[in-house]
Amino acid sequence: MTSLLDGDLLTGAVSGGGTRAGAGGTGTAGTVDVVEPATGKTLAVVGLADAADVGRAVSVAARAQPDWGAVPAAGRAAVLRRAAALLEEHRAEVARWLVREGGAVRAKAEFEIADAVEELLQASALPTQPHGQVLPSEPGRSSTARRVPLGVVGVISPWNVPLLLALRSVAPALALGNAVLLKPDVRTAVSGGLVVARLFEEAGLPAGVLQVLAGDAVAGRALTGHPAVAMVSFTGSTAVGREVGAAAGRTLKRVSLELGGNNALIVLDDADLESAAAAGAFSSFFHQGQICMAAGRHIVHASVAEAYVRLLTERAVRLTAGDPWTDAVDLGPMIDAGQLARTHRMVADSVAAGAVLRCGGVPDGPFYPATVVTGVTRAMPVFAEEVFGPVAPVVVVADDDEAVAVAGDTEYGLVAAVRTGSVERGLRLADRLRTGMVHVNDGTVNHQAVVPFGGFGASGNGARHGAQYSWDSYTQWQWITARSGAPVGGRS
């Protein structure tokens, strides 16, 4: 089987460049090293796009989009299915990049690839779904509404789940007839950028319809502000999302913002504590806590708090951290030194303010151990901010009402989970939680390609990712009437 990425690229420069793949070679803005976070080793060199590169890519995409939008539905669907098959065929190679470039443990890499394949397959079903309506009208005149592509769509994707969170937007946007410019984070420019470009190139997508431009904030601002870009899909921090939304508003373009979360995992007094602790550990420590769905606050009834903390801590201390490429570990490295320092600062400041460190809390090179913190109050950083690290802050509450109040004491509203022995009780709490997703007797970390994924408040602007919900993001309605003769009495 040939390599998807034209050979062993774990050293040296990534091949390709310009607007074909845009993630390699020497870009106008220079180059940047793609660094393995576990070792500091340079895995690849990628070209950086500047504003001029973005402008040229937009022009290419605008010329390519009408022909792609005119491809019959079955033809667009076939390209998506071939891309899914190629990802399956090359899953070992892609997993290698997710592990080495993104610091993922192997199980996380396999999970991400499986979900990415499902995103491609779900997107492949979109073109052949009904895309219009026959509207009531008068005799002699037809009246229809149809969904039409937006045109050029910009996708700005993050480093933490680079392949999945790129394809979650790229795949449905392409399936529905748009051209796409993808700007991956430079830290994962291969697994979140070049891999996507190569999948679709090999799947037969026409030239110019998808372009991948690795770049920093300069390229991001150029993409968001370009008047010929009809829509921007951004996944990332709330702070940057606010800037993207403001810039998009100045050109009246559509924007989809999937942002951060400070998610609550609520443990009621009738919960099975063993399974609750298992769900809590997975929710806080999966991928070193570097995902928007991570449980940032464990809100626990007082009567079971000490037992829950003991079980959670026992699980945390058993988790090993290390290089996921060379060792069978539970936690990989933090993505970079800045993210590690931020996590440690939040833990240290909270402990200085009176929190109790039950385990972890001491960095070891690029690795941060699974950390449990108790005695947490609402004023402490680990409660008030999104940690984005492997930290489980525990807050003790007296009853269900206080649990709801504490869970709601945040600007975010992405996901919550409730652990209880009574599904009915859990659903009653779910009705009171203002989050885009609630999971009763599960963890906060859940994802499916067929659900309306997204949050409220500072977690997003109400747009949703997933299957048929993509129609609302990547198409717009067009109303068409046709009359066989001249209008009667001048009426239209």
Side-chain angles (χ1 to χ4, degrees), residues 59 94-96 119 125 143 169 177 202 216 249 263 265 292 321 340 360 366 385 404 427 432 453 459 465 468:
S59 296
V94 175
R96 178 180 68 179
E119 290 285 351
S143 179
S169 295
E202 290 296 302
D216 55 18
N263 310 300
L265 186 144
C292 62
L340 186 146
E385 303 175 41
V404 171
L427 291 174
R432 302 170 63 189
F453 189 99
S459 291
H465 296 278
Q468 70 266 32

Side-chain angles (χ1 to χ4, degrees), residues 9-14 32-35 41-46 97 101 190:
L9 300 176
L10 290 178
T11 58
V14 176
V32 64
D33 291 346
V34 174
V35 176
K41 178 181 179 180
T42 296
L43 301 176
V45 179
V46 300
W97 277 100
E101 183 184 40
V190 178

Side-chain angles (χ1 to χ4, degrees), residues 275-460:
S275 63
F282 183 78
S283 296
S284 284
F285 306 138
F286 177 71
H287 196 40
Q288 298 81 261
Q290 298 175 126
I291 55 173
C292 62
M293 295 178 285
R297 296 168 299 151
H298 296 237
I299 300 171
V300 188
H301 272 222
S303 62
V304 298
E306 192 53 45
Y308 175 77
V309 168
R310 175 177 53 80
L311 293 168
L312 180 63
T313 303
E314 288 173 356
R315 288 182 173 274
V317 298
R318 290 199 297 267
L319 298 176
T320 57
D323 185 344
W325 178 244
T326 59
D327 302 309
V329 295
D330 303 299
L331 280 72
M334 302 295 284
I335 188 64
D336 57 27
Q339 186 59 34
L340 186 146
R342 179 181 180 276
T343 297
H344 187 53
R345 184 265 305 167
M346 294 176 69
V347 171
D349 288 354
S350 297
V351 170
V356 178
L357 193 64
R358 294 298 186 104
C359 68
V362 180
D364 178 15
F367 310 105
Y368 204 83
T371 298
V372 178
V373 184
T374 60
V376 173
T377 67
R378 301 189 193 191
M380 294 175 180
V382 293
F383 178 94
E385 303 175 41
E386 182 184 25
V387 179
F388 230 65
V391 180
V394 180
V395 183
V396 178
V397 295
D399 53 29
D400 292 12
D401 289 339
E402 187 179 5
V404 171
V406 172
D409 188 14
T410 176
E411 65 175 342
Y412 297 100
L414 185 59
V415 61
V418 181
R419 304 294 307 198
T420 175
S422 166
V423 172
E424 293 77 12
R425 185 182 180 188
L427 291 174
R428 286 197 299 271
L429 255 68
D431 287 341
R432 302 170 63 189
L433 297 171
R434 185 164 175 74
T435 58
M437 300 168 282
V438 183
H439 305 298
V440 176
N441 286 335
D442 208 338
T444 57
V445 179
N446 272 282
H447 181 269
Q448 286 181 270
V450 297
V451 305
F453 189 99
F456 301 160
S459 291

